[in-house]
Amino acid sequence: MAFFTDTQSKKKARRTAAALAPAAALVLLLAVPAIGPRALVQDLFMVLTLLVLALNWNLLAGFAGLVSVGQQAFVGVGAYTLFAAVILGGWDPLAGILAAGAAAMLCAVPMAFFAFRLHGAYFAIGTWVAAEIARLALAQWKALGGGTGTSLPKGAVNAMAGVQAVKGWLGIGSAAAADALAYWLALLLAAATLAASYAFLRSRPGLGLQAVRDNPEAARSVGVDPLRLKAQVFLLTAFGTGVCGALLFLQITRVTPETAFSVVHWTAFVIFVVVIGGIGTLPGPIVGVAVFYALQRLLSDYGTAYLIVLGAVGIATMLFARRGLWGLLCDRTGIELLPLRQRPPAPPAARTPLPKENTTHDPILH
C-alpha cells in the first residue's frame, strides 16, 4: 500500500511539474528583451518564427494527413503583402502583418481547389508546383522590384506602432526596440498557435480530424465530413503561415522571390523540425526546434558538414525513434505535456435491484 501511494505521489508531482513548466518558460521568454543581449533576441525571434511554421505544418501533416511541400507559398505571399501594404499603401507594418495573413488565406482557396483533387505524393507535388506558380507570378510585380526584389523604406520598421513605447520602457535605441517588439509579436504568435491547436484538437472537430487521418471511411460513416475539416485546417494554417512570413520579412527588411519562396528554409527545415521532434504531437515541434537551433549554432561554421549532420540526425531519428524525440522521452520518463487523448465516459452507476415480488403461495391470500 505504501509503495502504491508513493508511486501515485510521484506521478502527481510529475504532472504538476509538467503543468508549471510552460508557464515558467513563457515568463522567462517574455523577459528576454529586458535582460538579454540584442543578439539573443534576434536568435530567439528566428527560433519562434520557425516554431510557428512547424506548428502549422504539423497540424496540416501530422493531424490532417495533408503532407504539403508548398508552405513556402504562404510565407512568400505574406511577405509580399506586407511590403505592398507598407510601400504602396503607406500602412503601418502591424496592419500589414494582419493583411498578410488574410492574403495568404485567400491564396489558399484556389490552391486547395486543385490540390485537394490529388492524394498522397501527388498532393505534395501539387502544393510545391502551386508555390512555384506563386513565386513566378510575384516575380513579375515590377512595383516591388520584380525578380530582384525590394527593401522596406528606411525607418519604416522603427516608425512602427509601439516601437517608441518599448524604447522608452526599456531605455534602448530604436533599432533594438523594433527587434524587441518583433520578438514579442513572434512569441505571442507562437503561444497563440500552440494554444489554438490544442483547443481545436481537443474539440469535436479536432477529434473528427484525427479520425479522418486514421481512417477516412470509418470517420465518414459516423457523420464526419473529411473534405470540410481538411479545407478548414488548410485555410487556417495558411493564415498563420502568412502572418509568420510577414513577421519574418519585417525583420529581414528585404524581400526577393527566391528568399520569400525558399523551399529549403520555409518547408524542408520545417519538415526536419517536426519529424525529429515528433510528428502528430504538439510538444514535438518545440523539441525539434530546440535541437535544430542547437545543431545550427554548433555546426553552422562547418559548411556542408552542417547539412550532412542534419540529414544524419533525421535518418537516425526515423530509424530508432519512430515517434520522434518527444515520443522517446515520453516512453522513458512517462511525462506527457498537452495530451490529446480523451478518457472514455465513466460507465453509469449500477442500479440497486428492486426486491423480487413474493410469488410463494400463501393460503391466507389465496
Side-chain angles (χ1 to χ4, degrees), residues 7 17 37 114 117 150 309 356 363:
T7 304
F114 293 105
R117 298 171 183 267
T150 188
V309 172
K356 293 183 178 180

Side-chain angles (χ1 to χ4, degrees), residues 73-171:
F74 306 128
V75 174
V77 169
Y80 268 90
T81 301
L82 169 71
F83 276 64
V86 174
I87 296 173
L88 304 179
W91 290 17
D92 186 278
L94 291 182
I97 291 172
L98 293 177
M105 184 181 286
L106 288 175
C107 175
V109 174
M111 187 172 174
F113 180 78
F114 293 105
F116 276 30
R117 298 171 183 267
L118 308 172
H119 301 281
Y122 296 101
F123 176 85
I125 295 172
T127 54
W128 175 72
V129 170
E132 286 298 297
I133 292 172
R135 180 182 69 82
L136 293 173
L138 287 174
Q140 309 306 314
W141 198 349
K142 301 300 182 183
L144 293 180
T148 59
T150 188
S151 300
L152 287 173
K154 187 177 180 181
V157 177
N158 293 346
M160 181 171 53
V163 169
Q164 294 304 313
V166 174
K167 178 182 177 182
W169 180 39
L170 297 180

Side-chain angles (χ1 to χ4, degrees), residues 4 34 38-39 48 61 64 66 69 82 86 104 111 170 182 203 223 232 325:
F4 177 77
R38 184 180 176 188
L48 289 169
L66 298 172
V69 191
L82 169 71
V86 174
M111 187 172 174
L170 297 180
S203 66
Q232 288 176 349
L325 297 178

Side-chain angles (χ1 to χ4, degrees), residues 272-294:
F272 172 84
V273 163
V274 175
V275 168
I276 66 169
I279 190 169
T281 65
L282 288 179
I286 301 174
V287 175
V289 163
V291 173
F292 179 80
Y293 175 69

Side-chain angles (χ1 to χ4, degrees), residues 253-271:
T253 70
R254 178 169 179 79
V255 67
T256 65
E258 287 72 23
T259 56
F261 291 88
S262 172
V263 67
V264 174
H265 289 90
W266 315 132
T267 299
F269 284 164
V270 168
I271 294 175

Side-chain angles (χ1 to χ4, degrees), residues 213-238:
R213 175 199 60 189
D214 297 334
N215 193 326
E217 297 302 325
R220 190 179 288 110
S221 68
V222 294
V224 177
D225 187 349
L227 181 61
R228 180 171 171 268
L229 278 176
K230 289 183 177 183
Q232 288 176 349
V233 171
F234 194 76
L235 294 179
L236 290 175
T237 54

